[in-house]
Amino acid sequence: MSLTTTHLHVSYQPGEPVLHDLSLDFSRGRVTGVLGANGCGKSTLFMTLLGVLKPAQGQVSFHGEPLRYSKAALQALRQQVAMVFQDPDQQIFYTDVVSDIAFSLRNLGLDEALIQARVDQALALVDGHALRHKPIQYLSHGQKKRVAIAGALVIEADYLLLDEPTAGLDPQGRAQMIEIIQRIVDSGRRVVVSSHDIDFIYEVCDYLYVLAGGRLLTEGSERQVFLQPALLAKAGLVQPWLVKLHTELGYPLFKSEQAFFAAQRAADGHKEAV
């Protein structure tokens, strides 16, 4: 279940590449993060992975086969690689939740019983059963994001591309998004995330690619990448707060704030017992 790029160059105008010589393998992590400052090429990369943009040089490969750009080939790809945009209003077209989630399956002509089963599964993954009968216009931004994700999940794609999934979410919605991504991964899918939320990326991702000026600056596990402050600064990024506690104050390197506070409570309890 591989999605890769090989020596990828992408240009909007001849001779002005936006992406330069990118060779990436999104099967290296269950949740892969793509990081960089604005204008580094993250959105261009996602559009290229979907076949919306065609490389000037190099290629995108899926399951070891180079991407072909015929209408049929791209339709087949987008049943295996789905994207959820930063603004859910860009991909929600119906006035009711179920019709919107089921749209792609009905377009494929699937049996209605199978469609309803898949809609139920997708709603379960995003904790969205309570939204089922709500009109879209009455949903919050975070609820619309969950509906958009369900609409992508319903086709049972191998890869889900999430562009800024925490943008516009309150702390509760952000925590819920972390849980949703974990459920998606537990269901056997892989997730690729582009986000400016460094703490979120650190918590959910297990492999990272850092871009600067459309070039690959560094890659590795989330711990390897975020322990390189000088390289992060070159990409216009900073360390997550949990990593700063480790590098600047000598705390153990925790993966989540829940793990950090649990360790602090355990340490405080030990001191009281002594």
Side-chain angles (χ1 to χ4, degrees):
M1 192 167 67
S2 63
L3 176 65
T4 63
T5 69
T6 306
H7 301 300
L8 189 72
H9 294 257
V10 179
S11 302
Y12 290 109
Q13 299 179 14
E16 298 182 16
V18 178
L19 300 179
H20 307 257
D21 195 29
L22 293 184
S23 294
L24 314 175
D25 182 352
F26 296 100
S27 67
R28 290 184 176 175
R30 299 202 305 166
V31 183
T32 301
V34 180
L35 294 175
N38 285 336
C40 74
K42 300 188 298 294
S43 296
T44 300
L45 175 61
F46 273 22
M47 291 297 99
T48 307
L49 294 175
L50 283 173
V52 175
L53 299 175
K54 190 173 182 180
Q57 298 178 44
Q59 65 186 30
V60 176
S61 297
F62 186 63
H63 292 334
E65 295 293 328
L67 181 59
R68 294 176 288 115
Y69 292 88
S70 67
K71 183 178 180 180
L74 291 176
Q75 285 179 339
L77 172 75
R78 291 166 194 165
Q79 291 178 42
Q80 299 300 321
V81 180
M83 181 170 173
V84 178
F85 295 94
Q86 176 177 342
D87 181 1
D89 287 325
Q90 287 185 302
Q91 59 192 110
I92 293 178
F93 303 104
Y94 281 83
T95 57
D96 67 283
V97 169
V98 171
S99 293
D100 194 83
I101 296 172
F103 168 74
S104 59
L105 300 183
R106 288 179 176 145
N107 198 41
L108 292 170
L110 298 188
D111 178 76
E112 191 63 28
L114 177 59
I115 290 173
Q116 292 305 318
R118 290 234 199 137
V119 168
D120 286 342
Q121 291 168 1
L123 283 170
L125 284 173
V126 302
D127 193 22
H129 280 302
L131 308 177
R132 186 182 191 101
H133 300 296
K134 285 190 175 183
I136 294 290
Q137 62 181 327
Y138 295 120
L139 299 184
S140 68
H141 180 77
Q143 290 171 333
K144 287 181 180 179
K145 282 208 171 197
R146 286 154 59 195
V147 170
I149 292 173
L153 291 173
V154 78
I155 61 175
E156 298 187 343
D158 291 335
Y159 281 84
L160 185 65
L161 312 181
L162 298 179
D163 184 23
E164 297 291 348
T166 61
L169 298 184
D170 59 21
Q172 181 179 358
R174 182 181 178 278
Q176 191 170 40
M177 185 62 66
I178 292 173
E179 294 175 0
I180 288 169
I181 289 175
Q182 186 59 57
R183 288 193 207 109
I184 293 170
V185 169
D186 289 344
S187 74
R189 299 169 173 91
R190 294 185 188 273
V191 176
V192 183
V193 180
S194 169
S195 177
H196 288 96
D197 187 339
I198 294 296
D199 295 311
F200 169 78
I201 285 285
Y202 175 69
E203 183 167 349
V204 303
C205 294
D206 52 8
Y207 202 84
L208 300 178
Y209 290 108
V210 179
L211 305 183
R215 301 179 187 274
L216 180 63
L217 186 62
T218 189
E219 67 176 279
S221 72
E222 78 287 0
R223 287 176 167 84
Q224 290 171 328
V225 167
F226 283 125
L227 287 173
Q228 302 180 69
L231 277 177
L232 291 173
K234 285 184 179 180
L237 303 173
V238 297
Q239 290 179 312
W241 74 275
L242 287 168
V243 179
K244 286 182 180 179
L245 285 178
H246 171 71
T247 58
E248 297 183 18
L249 298 178
Y251 281 85
L253 186 55
F254 294 99
K255 177 68 170 172
S256 68
E257 64 177 49
Q258 290 86 354
F260 169 74
F261 288 120
Q264 297 311 299
R265 287 193 293 270
D268 290 343
H270 177 72
K271 289 178 183 177
E272 291 177 3
V274 173

